Amino acid sequence: MTITTLEKLDARGRELVFTGARTTNSFADTPVTDEELRDIWELTRWTPTMANTQPLRVAFVRTPEGKERLLPHIAEGNYAKTQAAPATAILAVDNRWHDQIPTVFPIRPEMRDHFEADEAARSHAGHFSAGLQAGAFILSTRAAGLAAGPILGYDKDGVDKEFFPDGNWSTILVVNVGHPGENPWFDRLPRVPEDAALAWA
Amino acid sequence: MTITTLEKLDARGRELVFTGARTTNSFADTPVTDEELRDIWELTRWTPTMANTQPLRVAFVRTPEGKERLLPHIAEGNYAKTQAAPATAILAVDNRWHDQIPTVFPIRPEMRDHFEADEAARSHAGHFSAGLQAGAFILSTRAAGLAAGPILGYDKDGVDKEFFPDGNWSTILVVNVGHPGENPWFDRLPRVPEDAALAWA
């Protein structure tokens, strides 16, 4: 339901989603249910993308068999935490995201044909909007009461071949999901100084 | 401050940031202060990026002079709302984001040299993490009690030349910021069906 009166998120919400949440590097053996994983998606799927195209796809790996298929493709430094996490989300771009245009953007179904004909534009637009959704997915995980541990140290081709053998989904980020274990967070690192990050006109 | 006990974001928070907020297509003339714009950044700057590199930069355009410089580069369909918005954020990648590595990732300052030597890797990593941050920026705007209207219909080269003439920042997204005006939202469009968006292993 669309909200009609805006207001600031309260202090606890700001901490949970933005300022107090941390990338998690160890996981407790507390399980995560499929319902909790679906709740992450329930938040992410409403966040904006170019022309509502929603190119992000998610493969949730949470069985021992699934983990066994995933772990050989994870870099050494990310192995133990990925093994320990009760669930791992493989975030991917659907290389044929434009096939959904008649459904998700019915006011301009012909946009599908434009992106069918222009592979470079399709790849750029798909990766850009999926990146926005990936940013939202991390924050959605936190909002669902779970810890997120996004990692980029993995063999993309290996993950793609194992999980998306038809070539239609292309991995962009792997996110471990669960509850924090022992010593779950590194010390907080510095932020880019405001005068280097912001400009005013 | 790092939070140590996770919990779900409450129902109102979920609505404000994820499920009830909408991309805004008209703006009231209610002003937005620089303090409110800084508050958006205060939320975004803590969200995760690869090796804490934080490549996103933001130029906040909120003076009549700034708007006059921006508007000639905005596509016709986005012109009226960009003119009406009390502030417009130009989101950009810093093409020399790796120069910040010794500051933001002091445990591996030599990563700077790796990315200095490999322009393709630098561009890919910078755009990917800036995309995550751009997704977070939209949600931060909502969490700051403001309406966000992200647009991709603009002349990127024109915006870059006008606002970033030294070539160091490269625009990736323009986001109008303010308070909703009349008929601010289109009808909600369909979501990609769950069986097309999610996989389980």
Side-chain angles (χ1 to χ4, degrees):
Chain A
M1 184 84 76
T2 298
I3 52 166
T4 51
T5 310
L6 309 189
E7 64 194 60
K8 286 182 112 166
L9 182 63
D10 64 20
R12 181 65 177 156
R14 287 167 65 102
E15 275 184 340
L16 286 171
V17 180
F18 296 97
T19 60
R22 301 293 309 283
T23 287
T24 304
N25 296 300
S26 79
F27 290 90
D29 56 9
T30 317
V32 167
T33 65
D34 288 357
E35 195 187 345
E36 287 177 284
L37 298 174
R38 275 209 180 80
D39 190 41
I40 300 173
W41 186 248
E42 169 58 23
L43 298 172
T44 300
R45 72 195 187 105
W46 297 109
T47 61
T49 52
M50 182 201 75
N52 195 43
T53 47
Q54 312 162 58
L56 188 73
R57 305 291 179 258
V58 181
F60 286 112
V61 181
R62 76 291 186 239
T63 64
E65 298 73 29
K67 276 297 176 82
E68 223 163 88
R69 292 167 57 201
L70 176 63
L71 284 167
H73 309 292
I74 300 296
E76 197 183 338
N78 293 318
Y79 196 95
K81 53 191 168 190
T82 305
Q83 191 169 36
T88 302
I90 305 172
L91 274 55
V93 181
D94 186 344
N95 296 317
R96 297 202 58 82
W97 59 267
H98 58 302
D99 285 339
Q100 296 283 344
I101 288 175
T103 303
V104 295
F105 205 61
I107 47 182
R108 278 193 59 200
E110 72 279 7
M111 258 180 53
R112 185 203 161 279
D113 305 324
H114 164 73
F115 283 109
E116 175 66 27
D118 187 340
E119 196 183 332
R122 181 163 85 236
S123 175
H124 179 79
H127 279 83
F128 183 74
S129 282
L132 297 180
Q133 290 181 284
F137 183 93
I138 294 167
L139 304 187
S140 299
T141 302
R142 297 166 169 185
L146 296 163
I151 59 172
L152 283 166
Y154 56 84
D155 171 11
K156 174 184 148 45
D157 291 342
V159 173
D160 284 351
K161 250 183 227 161
E162 178 62 39
F163 288 90
F164 317 128
D166 68 5
N168 278 354
W169 292 12
S170 176
T171 303
I172 59 168
L173 185 67
V174 168
V175 183
N176 288 315
V177 176
H179 295 271
E182 294 200 2
N183 301 314
W185 300 295
F186 299 134
D187 285 344
R188 205 153 208 179
L189 289 165
R191 262 46 208 171
V192 170
E194 192 184 289
D195 62 357
L198 302 184
W200 300 87
Chain B
M1 184 84 75
T2 298
I3 52 166
T4 51
T5 309
L6 309 189
E7 64 193 59
K8 286 182 113 170
L9 183 64
D10 64 20
R12 181 63 176 156
R14 288 167 65 103
E15 276 184 340
L16 286 171
V17 180
F18 297 97
T19 61
R22 302 293 309 282
T23 287
T24 304
N25 297 300
S26 80
F27 290 89
D29 57 9
T30 317
V32 166
T33 64
D34 288 356
E35 195 187 343
E36 287 178 284
L37 299 174
R38 277 210 178 80
D39 190 41
I40 300 173
W41 186 247
E42 168 58 23
L43 297 172
T44 300
R45 73 194 185 106
W46 296 108
T47 62
T49 51
M50 184 201 75
N52 195 42
T53 47
Q54 312 161 60
L56 188 74
R57 305 291 179 258
V58 182
F60 286 112
V61 180
R62 76 286 187 242
T63 64
E65 298 72 28
K67 277 296 175 85
E68 222 163 273
R69 292 167 55 202
L70 176 63
L71 284 167
H73 310 290
I74 300 296
E76 198 183 337
N78 294 318
Y79 195 95
K81 52 191 168 190
T82 305
Q83 190 169 37
T88 302
I90 305 172
L91 274 54
V93 180
D94 186 342
N95 296 318
R96 297 203 57 82
W97 58 267
H98 59 302
D99 285 340
Q100 295 283 344
I101 288 176
T103 304
V104 295
F105 205 60
I107 47 182
R108 278 192 58 198
E110 73 280 7
M111 260 180 52
R112 185 202 162 279
D113 305 324
H114 163 73
F115 284 108
E116 176 66 28
D118 188 340
E119 196 183 334
R122 181 164 86 237
S123 176
H124 179 81
H127 280 83
F128 183 74
S129 282
L132 298 180
Q133 290 181 285
F137 183 93
I138 294 167
L139 304 188
S140 299
T141 302
R142 297 166 169 186
L146 296 163
I151 59 172
L152 283 165
Y154 55 85
D155 171 11
K156 175 184 146 46
D157 291 342
V159 174
D160 283 351
K161 248 182 230 164
E162 179 62 38
F163 288 90
F164 317 128
D166 67 5
N168 278 354
W169 292 12
S170 176
T171 302
I172 59 167
L173 185 68
V174 168
V175 183
N176 288 315
V177 176
H179 296 271
E182 295 200 1
N183 301 315
W185 300 294
F186 298 135
D187 286 343
R188 203 151 210 180
L189 289 166
R191 261 47 207 172
V192 170
E194 191 185 288
D195 61 357
L198 302 185
W200 300 88

